């Protein structure tokens, strides 16, 4: 049986603080890593494309070069978008070892498993390949991250019982979502006896920057707990969840997250229901359920910063009536000076194919254009 250790909280290295938008702020992350380690946590999760493809290399600087190898747990992933031949598998894997400076990875995932990527992983024999890496000691444990339906997850786990864990998007807003199917996917993993690692517990910040009504809802229950704490503790309280990842972007987030995860106490059934009541409130306010993963960006021929526009759009719609001037319009105008406008979309569909949330991006971009440009 795979063991994740006593601490069930991991540092997601996807949304690290950046300098000039293109370089990881290594010095700031060093302080975050030190606090994380001092408080007893050891799990770090990165991937090829995180932080403009800089996360793996930065991990060597702020973690690998500064701590003994047995002091931390490092996870990274093979993404189907970066392999076209059998040779590409080892090329990518060896580049990852070189970038991070490690001889082996504690956990290694086939990234973003879904209908199309599953076929590609099968075509390129990645399932035997990843098993071979484990047998050679280059990978300690194998799993996959997943963005699709519960039925597809059931198919994969049935056909590949060799996987030791699955990484799922689980949060209280997506728990009953028919698009994301958090609960249904969790139940499939539980049925197969496969442990779950949670990604997106705060849904890319959506469950931190909540509507005022939701903030009042949580503060009425416990004024001392942060808004983020309710989301992270909800995911961590699920019986088959062995690890919850948080993409912390500054030292304040690290301080807050680790404060309640150090001596974690699961939510009671009554508290879980209270959290799900917050989802009902949010669903009446949020328009575009984008997590900001940025998978949609690389193929956009018009260089449209889709997640940023959706974030501004959601925020603007959540402003209370009568406030007057809102800053989102100004931010939108400034972004269009260097990027394509929402109205520049040519409806090629590349973004929708890449979106793990299966969002109707083209439709939403039209809404954004009408809102900010009309």
């Amino acid at each position: 049986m795979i063991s994740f250790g006593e601490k069930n909280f991991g540092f997601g290295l996807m949304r690290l603080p950046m300098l000039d938008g293109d370089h990881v702020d290594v010095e700031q992350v060093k302080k975050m890593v030190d606090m994380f380690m001092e408080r007893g946590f050891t799990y770090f999760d990165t991937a090829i494309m995180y932080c403009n493809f800089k996360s793996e290399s930065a991990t060597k600087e702020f973690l690998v070069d500064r701590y003994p190898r047995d002091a931390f747990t490092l996870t990274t992933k093979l993404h189907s978008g970066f392999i076209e031949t059998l040779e590409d598998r080892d090329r990518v894997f060896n580049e990852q070892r070189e970038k991070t400076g490690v001889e082996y990875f504690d956990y290694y995932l086939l990234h973003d498993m879904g209908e199309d990527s599953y076929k590609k992983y099968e075509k390129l024999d990645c399932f035997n390949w990843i098993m071979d890496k484990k047998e050679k000691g280059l990978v300690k444990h194998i799993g996959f991250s997943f963005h699709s339906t519960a039925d597809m997850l059931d198919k994969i786990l049935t056909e590949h019982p060799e996987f030791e864990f699955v990484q799922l998007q689980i949060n209280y807003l997506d728990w009953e979502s028919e698009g994301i199917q958090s609960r249904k996917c969790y139940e499939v993993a539980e049925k197969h006896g496969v442990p779950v690692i949670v990604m997106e517990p705060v849904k890319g910040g959506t469950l931190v920057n909540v509507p005022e009504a939701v903030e009042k809802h949580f503060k009425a229950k416990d004024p001392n707990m942060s808004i983020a704490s309710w989301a992270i503790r909800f995911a961590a309280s699920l019986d088959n969840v062995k690890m919850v990842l948080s993409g912390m972007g500054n030292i304040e987030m690290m301080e807050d997250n680790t404060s309640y995860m150090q001596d974690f106490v699961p939510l009671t059934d009554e508290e879980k229901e209270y959290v799900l009541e917050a989802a009902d409130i949010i669903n009446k306010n949020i328009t575009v359920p984008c997590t900001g993963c940025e998978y949609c960006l690389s193929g956009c021929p018009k260089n449209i910063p889709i997640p940023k526009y959706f974030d501004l759009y959601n925020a603007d719609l959540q402003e209370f009536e009568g406030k007057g001037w809102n800053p989102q319009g100004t931010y939108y105008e400034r972004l269009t000076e260097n990027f394509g406008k929402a109205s520049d979309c040519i409806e090629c569909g590349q973004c929708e194919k890449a979106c793990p949330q299966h969002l109707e991006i083209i439709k939403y971009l039209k809404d954004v254009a009408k809102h900010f440009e009309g």
Side-chain angles (χ1 to χ4, degrees):
M1 177 65 69
I2 187 172
S3 174
F4 291 89
E6 295 180 2
K7 299 289 187 178
N8 62 340
F9 183 63
F11 190 173
L13 306 177
M14 180 180 182
R15 297 183 173 92
L16 298 173
M18 305 292 285
L19 297 171
D20 302 322
D22 193 46
H23 299 283
V24 175
D25 186 347
V26 172
E27 294 307 312
Q28 183 177 173
V29 181
K30 285 180 181 178
K31 296 176 183 178
M32 297 168 67
V33 168
D34 290 346
M35 178 181 290
F36 187 73
M37 299 283 278
E38 287 166 3
R39 296 189 172 190
F41 303 100
T42 63
Y43 193 99
F44 296 83
D45 174 274
T46 185
I48 298 170
M49 74 290 294
Y50 289 179
C51 300
N52 297 330
F53 296 85
K54 305 294 174 58
S55 180
E56 289 179 331
S57 298
T59 299
K60 183 177 187 300
E61 293 185 67
F62 59 68
L63 177 66
V64 178
D65 288 346
R66 301 174 62 240
Y67 285 91
R69 182 63 186 92
D70 60 358
F72 60 87
T73 301
L74 184 60
T75 298
T76 194
K77 313 167 185 80
L78 179 73
H79 194 291
S80 63
F82 300 101
I83 54 172
E84 298 297 335
T85 67
L86 297 177
E87 291 74 22
D88 283 342
R89 302 169 306 174
D90 280 338
R91 175 185 58 77
V92 170
F93 185 80
N94 292 332
E95 286 176 358
Q96 291 176 304
R97 286 202 298 162
E98 182 177 355
K99 285 180 180 179
T100 57
V102 299
E103 288 296 318
Y104 67 90
F105 295 106
D106 298 279
Y107 297 82
Y108 199 82
L109 290 76
L110 297 183
H111 199 18
D112 191 19
M113 191 82 76
E115 286 78 0
D116 292 341
S117 57
Y118 184 59
K119 293 177 182 177
K120 191 169 188 179
Y121 287 134
E122 284 190 318
K123 176 184 176 181
L124 296 178
D125 197 27
C126 291
F127 299 101
N128 286 321
W129 174 84
I130 198 173
M131 282 290 291
D132 181 64
K133 289 289 181 279
K134 180 182 176 183
E135 290 171 4
K136 291 178 177 176
L138 297 173
V139 170
K140 301 299 183 184
H141 300 288
I142 60 173
F144 62 94
S145 62
F146 183 79
H147 291 286
S148 189
T149 66
D151 288 342
M152 185 64 188
L153 180 60
D154 190 47
K155 169 183 169 68
I156 296 170
L157 291 178
T158 299
E159 294 179 357
H160 292 281
E162 67 269 22
F163 283 113
E164 299 172 273
F165 64 95
V166 60
Q167 191 159 301
L168 300 175
Q169 176 171 320
I170 293 179
N171 56 69
Y172 68 79
L173 189 57
D174 293 327
W175 187 241
E176 296 296 347
S177 165
E178 277 304 310
I180 307 302
Q181 300 190 350
S182 281
R183 177 181 57 78
K184 291 181 179 179
C185 287
Y186 169 80
E187 290 173 351
V188 167
E190 193 172 37
K191 181 186 78 171
H192 285 270
V194 177
V196 171
I197 294 178
V198 169
M199 55 185 165
E200 301 288 354
V202 297
K203 202 170 172 67
T206 296
L207 301 184
V208 177
N209 302 302
V210 295
E212 185 178 0
V214 177
E215 184 172 357
K216 289 182 178 179
H217 177 76
F218 284 132
K219 290 301 181 182
K221 188 69 171 177
D222 189 339
N224 297 316
M225 295 303 300
S226 69
I227 303 303
S229 73
W230 290 98
I232 291 175
R233 290 184 296 149
F234 174 83
S237 296
L238 297 168
D239 290 339
N240 195 40
V241 166
K242 307 304 179 184
M243 179 68 60
V244 176
L245 305 175
S246 178
M248 295 166 281
N250 56 51
I251 195 72
E252 290 77 20
M253 292 182 188
M254 180 65 71
E255 171 71 41
D256 176 62
N257 286 186
T258 54
S259 67
Y260 51 79
M261 293 303 291
Q262 258 188 302
D263 299 304
F264 175 69
V265 177
L267 296 181
T268 64
D269 289 341
E270 185 270 335
E271 287 174 325
K272 290 177 184 177
E273 289 301 316
Y274 195 81
V275 172
L276 291 174
E277 289 174 13
D280 293 334
I281 300 172
I282 294 175
N283 282 325
K284 297 175 183 178
N285 291 275
I286 195 168
T287 304
V288 186
C290 172
T291 70
C293 71
E294 300 188 344
Y295 287 3
C296 57
L297 296 183
S298 61
C300 179
K302 292 298 183 178
N303 194 30
I304 301 172
I306 298 167
K308 289 184 174 65
Y309 287 171
F310 287 167
D311 183 63
L312 293 175
Y313 183 56
N314 283 330
D316 215 47
L317 293 182
Q318 289 178 9
E319 297 278 16
F320 64 88
E321 293 182 7
K323 179 182 177 183
W325 178 82
N326 296 326
Q328 284 77 227
T330 299
Y331 284 124
Y332 179 82
E333 292 176 5
R334 289 173 179 169
L335 280 169
T336 60
E337 294 176 1
N338 297 305
F339 298 92
K341 297 180 180 179
S343 60
D344 291 337
C345 173
I346 61 173
E347 302 184 25
C348 66
Q350 293 188 59
C351 55
E352 293 189 350
K353 292 178 182 177
C355 179
Q357 312 303 319
H358 313 296
L359 299 181
E360 296 178 280
I361 294 176
I362 295 171
K363 170 188 174 295
Y364 285 130
L365 283 176
K366 290 179 180 179
D367 294 339
V368 170
K370 182 178 179 180
H371 183 80
F372 286 119
E373 299 175 36

